[in-house]
Amino acid sequence: MARVPRAKAPPAKAPPARPTEAAQGKGPLAQQAEWLAAYQPALRFREQGKVQSVGDGIAWLSGLPSAAMDDVLSFEDGSSAMVFDLNQDRLGAVLLHQTDSLNAGTLAMRTGRRLSMPVGEGFLGRVIDPLGTPLDDLPAPEPDGWLPLERPSPPIIERGPVQSPLYTGTKIIDTLIPIGRGQRQLLVGDDGLGRSALALDAVINQKGKGVYCIYVLIGQKRSTVVNTIETLRRYGALEYSTLVVAEASSLPGLQHLAPFAGCTLAEYWMARGQHALVIYDDLATHARTYRELSLLLRRPPGREAYPGDIFSVHARLLERATCLSPELGGGSITALPIVETLQGEIAAYIPTNLISITDGQIYLDRTLFAGGFKPAVDIGRSVSRIGGQAQHVAIKAEAGRMKLDYLQFLELEVFTRFGAKLEASMEAAIRRGRILRELLKQERLAPESARFQLAWLVAFNDGLFDGLEPKAVTALLDRLRGWTAQGSLTLDSPREAWHQALAAWLASP
């Protein structure tokens, strides 16, 4: 502990370290005069550390015996860091901001505060880094407050049941693998199969539904970041979204903090009784960044060289997504974490961890993708454990046995490859299965409304599509989409009304 002579530091007794609100309306000279009037000389003791080495986004320091985990440090050159590892004779810190003059011998001080970020309505439509700094060359938004990046998840008594649907606009998800507000649903699959496209569809589909979206990009290339921003802007989704970006060239510490920053923003809206959807793209990259930091800090490696607490890091993050009870406003955070697999290995370490943490997973298969089935969702390996409770009763009633029937169709279709002679009932089931397969296909960035999904579900279940050739399904769905948009039937309309309207429409020339 070093004794620092008092020179220009603010006084110890009631120091006006910042101008008061009354003084803020005055000029700089008046503010300075007010500060001098309240100035009282005194001795001040501060811990002072020294940088021992710097590299790869990590700083090793000596001194600072009172430093604790997650404390924010400031360096005399203007850099900043967060304490990430404590040893007996030194501590390791991940850099949050680094100047070119930061090197061994630079002095460091504790700030006495934990890492936090500004939050507020002004962050809608903005692109920020994990510390809340704008990246879109616009002025910094006026915050409504500050919230810590790390905070406990809401206790059980503050949580409510997941009972409202969150429509993603993707037919195969909203009907067979539904998601509710407050749910954590994992998107898992190899690179290039459309995981991010499904997430973008979900964000675009929230337009006009009162759901604020936070898209967190972790360790992505700049071209990917630009494409994501342009896509959201082109479809009018940027105005109710916030992008938290930590590019691949960012400091590893910022990449590690990015998902926690996105969750903090979502918590701000949840606490105000509103609904938020947060996308973590992706947590496999986040896990690799955390492994890199841990190895640089010489923590003991575990399975696949990941640190032993990687599971708790992701669990701590995803547990913050929930639905609050009505007494607390009923706000919710729906989390769609994305994780990448290699060669479809769903049983790898990180995907397995996340599957056990979340409430279900949507698995994308490369074979389906190569066969032209898009989105390439493997229905057999995908599940939503609690989304069915939030599904609208009309859609739930129509989609009740559809998943099981489709899986049986896939098994029956295998027999046709060997030229086996099938019963008439089986041939009819195969014909219906092939029509259903065409119905479930969907182009990216084209989310469908819930009314349209109920319309095709009723038509299919009532056999109105049975005489149709599979290749004619796409054209018919285009016409059905227009008819649904002009119709007056709602999800709460009687089923018989839907049947009669669809039958009359299909019978018309």
Side-chain angles (χ1 to χ4, degrees):
M1 181 181 297
R3 178 177 176 178
V4 183
R6 181 69 175 171
K8 298 180 180 179
K13 183 180 294 183
R18 293 180 179 177
T20 61
E21 293 184 0
Q24 285 179 355
K26 306 174 183 176
L29 291 178
Q31 295 181 25
Q32 187 68 14
E34 182 177 326
W35 183 83
L36 285 173
Y39 181 80
Q40 294 182 5
L43 289 177
R44 181 172 57 91
F45 292 90
R46 294 179 64 185
E47 289 184 10
Q48 179 176 289
K50 185 179 291 185
V51 176
Q52 299 297 316
S53 62
V54 181
D56 299 318
I58 297 290
W60 288 102
L61 301 99
S62 60
L64 302 175
S66 301
M69 290 291 288
D70 298 336
D71 274 357
V72 176
L73 307 178
S74 64
F75 298 86
E76 64 175 351
D77 68 317
S79 301
S80 60
M82 182 179 71
V83 178
F84 214 63
D85 192 73
L86 294 173
N87 292 311
Q88 188 170 7
D89 55 345
R90 62 177 184 173
L91 60 88
V94 294
L95 293 172
L96 306 176
H97 173 65
Q98 183 177 10
T99 67
D100 295 335
S101 56
L102 179 64
N103 51 32
T106 304
L107 298 181
M109 279 73 68
R110 292 178 58 213
T111 62
R113 60 183 177 85
R114 311 296 289 267
L115 194 60
S116 58
M117 67 173 295
V119 294
E121 299 287 342
F123 286 87
L124 288 175
R126 302 299 301 271
V127 183
I128 60 173
D129 73 359
L131 301 180
T133 306
L135 300 176
D136 48 10
D137 296 332
L138 295 175
E142 188 66 27
D144 296 340
W146 290 72
L147 289 178
L149 265 66
E150 284 272 9
R151 57 192 307 192
S153 60
I156 293 178
I157 58 173
E158 294 183 0
R159 301 183 181 221
V162 175
Q163 54 187 6
S164 299
L166 186 131
Y167 295 110
T168 64
T170 303
K171 290 184 285 186
I172 199 169
I173 296 177
D174 290 342
T175 56
L176 305 183
I177 319 161
I179 299 174
R181 290 178 177 177
Q183 186 173 341
R184 303 156 297 176
Q185 187 76 7
L186 182 67
L187 298 174
V188 55
D190 286 359
D191 186 28
L193 298 186
R195 296 164 300 146
S196 300
L198 287 177
L200 284 172
D201 277 348
V203 173
I204 293 171
N205 196 51
Q206 305 312 314
K207 189 173 186 177
K209 295 183 172 61
V211 178
Y212 296 111
C213 301
I214 299 99
Y215 203 107
V216 184
L217 292 153
I218 310 165
Q220 304 281 352
K221 296 181 292 186
R222 176 157 297 187
S223 59
T224 304
V225 174
V226 172
N227 288 336
T228 303
I229 296 172
E230 289 302 318
T231 300
L232 295 178
R233 179 178 288 124
R234 185 166 65 251
Y235 287 88
L238 193 57
E239 59 191 31
Y240 55 86
S241 303
T242 302
L243 278 84
V244 180
V245 177
E247 295 177 345
S249 58
S250 303
L251 290 167
L254 291 181
Q255 296 182 43
H256 170 70
L257 294 172
F260 296 96
C263 187
T264 300
L265 267 177
E267 285 177 332
Y268 166 75
W269 281 303
M270 180 177 70
R272 298 164 68 93
Q274 296 164 328
H275 303 286
L277 169 66
V278 57
I279 313 289
Y280 302 118
D281 191 3
D282 66 278
L283 289 188
T285 304
H286 180 260
R288 287 193 291 270
T289 302
Y290 188 63
R291 177 173 63 182
E292 174 188 335
L293 289 172
S294 299
L295 292 176
L296 288 170
L297 292 168
R298 302 176 186 176
R299 291 178 177 174
R303 179 179 169 184
E304 299 181 16
Y306 287 102
D309 62 341
I310 183 63
F311 182 92
S312 67
V313 168
H314 285 158
R316 207 166 60 233
L317 170 69
L318 295 173
E319 278 297 320
R320 292 162 69 177
T322 185
C323 180
L324 293 180
S325 63
E327 293 78 12
L328 295 175
S332 68
I333 297 177
T334 306
L336 294 183
I338 297 175
V339 65
E340 179 186 348
T341 57
L342 297 176
Q343 299 296 321
E345 182 53 57
I346 198 173
Y349 184 37
I350 299 302
T352 305
N353 281 354
L354 292 172
I355 286 173
S356 62
I357 295 171
T358 51
D359 303 312
Q361 73 276 350
I362 297 171
Y363 179 75
L364 286 89
D365 184 77
R366 183 169 294 281
T367 305
L368 294 174
F369 186 86
F373 184 80
K374 301 175 185 176
V377 176
D378 188 330
I379 298 175
R381 292 186 177 184
S382 302
V383 65
S384 176
R385 298 186 183 91
I386 61 175
Q389 304 170 13
Q391 204 171 20
H392 193 279
V393 290
I395 296 180
K396 185 175 183 179
E398 298 298 329
R401 281 189 51 85
M402 190 168 287
K403 182 175 182 178
L404 183 60
D405 292 342
Y406 185 73
L407 294 177
Q408 289 176 345
F409 149 71
L410 294 178
E411 291 183 0
L412 287 174
E413 193 180 33
V414 173
F415 289 102
T416 63
R417 299 177 183 174
F418 304 105
K421 188 175 181 179
L422 302 176
E423 297 179 357
S425 59
M426 290 187 178
E427 290 181 352
I430 290 176
R431 281 198 301 273
R432 280 179 57 82
R434 286 172 176 165
I435 292 174
L436 178 58
R437 181 163 55 195
E438 295 300 319
L439 287 169
L440 293 175
K441 290 180 181 178
Q442 186 173 348
E443 296 294 329
R444 66 187 296 262
L445 302 177
E448 305 285 6
S449 67
R451 292 174 61 243
F452 170 76
Q453 308 213 33
L454 180 58
W456 76 260
L457 283 170
V458 172
F460 176 78
N461 287 335
D462 290 353
L464 302 179
F465 293 156
D466 283 357
L468 205 65
E469 291 294 328
K471 59 184 179 182
V473 169
T474 303
L476 183 67
L477 286 181
D478 290 339
R479 291 174 49 211
L480 180 62
R481 188 177 299 108
W483 176 82
T484 308
Q486 297 173 0
S488 58
L489 295 175
T490 66
L491 295 182
D492 298 322
S493 298
R495 189 184 189 283
E496 187 60 26
W498 275 100
H499 173 80
Q500 293 178 0
L502 286 166
W505 174 73
L506 287 170
S508 63

